[in-house]
Amino acid sequence: MANQLCIVLDFGGQYNQLIARRVRECGVYCEIKRYDTPLSEIRALNPAGIIFTGGPNSVYDSASPHIDPAYFDLGIPTLGICYGCQLMAYTLGGTVESCEKSEYGKIEITHGEGSLLFAGVPAVSTVWMSHTDFVSRLPEGFRVTAHSDDCPCAAFENPERKLYAVQFHPEVTHSQYGKEILHHFLYVVCGFKGDWMMSDFIENTVQKLRQQIGDKKVVLGLSGGVDSSVAAALLSKAVGRQLTCVFVDQGLMRKDEGDFVEQTFTKLFDMNFVRVNAQKHFLEKLRGVTDPEQKRKIIGTEFYNVFWDRIRREGADGFFAQGTIYPDRIESGRGNKAGQGSTDVIKTHHNMVGIPEDITFAGIIEPLADLFKDEVRRVGEKLGIPRELVWRQPFPGPGLGVRIVGEITEEKIKILQDADAVFRDEIARSGLESSLSQFFAVLPDVHTVGVMGDHRTYDHLIAIRAVTTDDFMTADWARIPFDVLARISNRLCNEVAHVNRVVYDITSKPPGTVEWE
Ligand code: XMP
């Protein structure tokens, strides 16, 4: 049974994915479509509700995305948010004007009686606003349902036509009752039944995978990251030993991580697990190389070569599976084509650029292609993947290769792995783990003078890096308490051979990047 569908029609707003995630958190399946999706296509998808996202500043700008007025004759319950709210008013004959004063941040609104959207919400509540235009006159048949000091039409509606609009952002957590308002729109206005549940997703996907795969084989490149791990577990549940997971250990993972991945997938799941121990091969290829870009290139190319050589040996006579997730393939309303044709592009963070020409598969399987990251994690937990893997922090494809400045040697990898393990252990003990987006140790390849007992030392400096961020485009260095830093420094110098000094990286991004190389 297909799920009921809600469409988030994307007008280029920054919160498009957040809206879709909130809808799914309400138990409603939701997909993001570009604003210029043909009406015939929208009708064919038969959505039970549509949400217009925010977008550029002004509906009067001809370059701004608009909507065919015939849309409103489709009779689909619609909620316009921010720009989407102004667009609804403008397209139906209302007036939009520039605010004398932009409203930005937490704003108080007051709502009147009788709106389904605000049922049970206190008359005065805080919402998140971010706009420079506002609706000054409503189209015929609409009524105002909420206002703020500077925004006379903070919410309005035409319940007969099931058209609703809010100038604020209910999807943002700063909107006190945002979740309730979305819930009312979905359940009361649109009549969704709430049939999007991860346990159903697993059962349905397993059935679909069995049908699709039949008695053929499937190969999957397992990196030990969240997405490929969950894809592997799902495929294992569906087809067991018809699945072969190929895990290339390039020797640049964190301490004992290769063994942990192997144990997890051989002990907990039914599949053929192939570990390619290519540590020596990578070290040889990287010998004498110090330039960061060159190192990345070599690691990427060798990963590709080693992986596909192994697939050739395993026999590529079935399907190829990969852990593509929904955000990898969303096309934004701004016309960003990233993710288009994702079925023939292997994710770059797996460091593979495509399938070699001499290898032909029966097809590509992407079992997580409709899920957001938090949903992938929920599926992973339900499938019994250990927490360490499901909640793993991001780890770059080139691994520790981008955290060892200068030439990569076996000795340096060992020092960095040991230091990183101590650092992570101390962060976990201090209870700081969930407040940090990413944290790791770096080996800057700098020797400094120190003293240990009566001896002078001349040994490695370790840098530690910890950041907080929402999207990794910008990041702030984490304010780890001094006493925790003191313990980390002590432990690193005492427990890790060849470390005699520790520095904490207090650079934000920009101007720094998260990784050192
Ligand atoms: P930067 O260093 O660019 O990192 O600020 C932002 C985020 O991306 C991760 N990162 C990578 N991930 N392949 C990946 O899959 C890479 O080559 C790569 N380089 C950086 C980094 O760990 C951080 O989370």
Side-chain angles (χ1 to χ4, degrees), residues 145-174:
T145 50
H147 67 272
S148 70
D149 285 349
D150 293 307
C151 185
C153 308
F156 53 89
E157 64 188 36
N158 181 335
E160 289 74 36
R161 297 181 72 185
K162 298 203 172 187
L163 300 178
Y164 291 78
V166 289
Q167 181 56 66
F168 56 89
H169 288 275
E171 71 279 16
V172 173
T173 46
H174 302 301

Side-chain angles (χ1 to χ4, degrees), residues 296 349 394-398 403 438 472 509 513-515:
R296 267 174 190 273
H349 82 243
F395 189 63
R403 295 179 183 168
Q438 201 174 359
F472 292 94
K509 173 183 180 178
T513 48
V514 175
E515 303 289 348

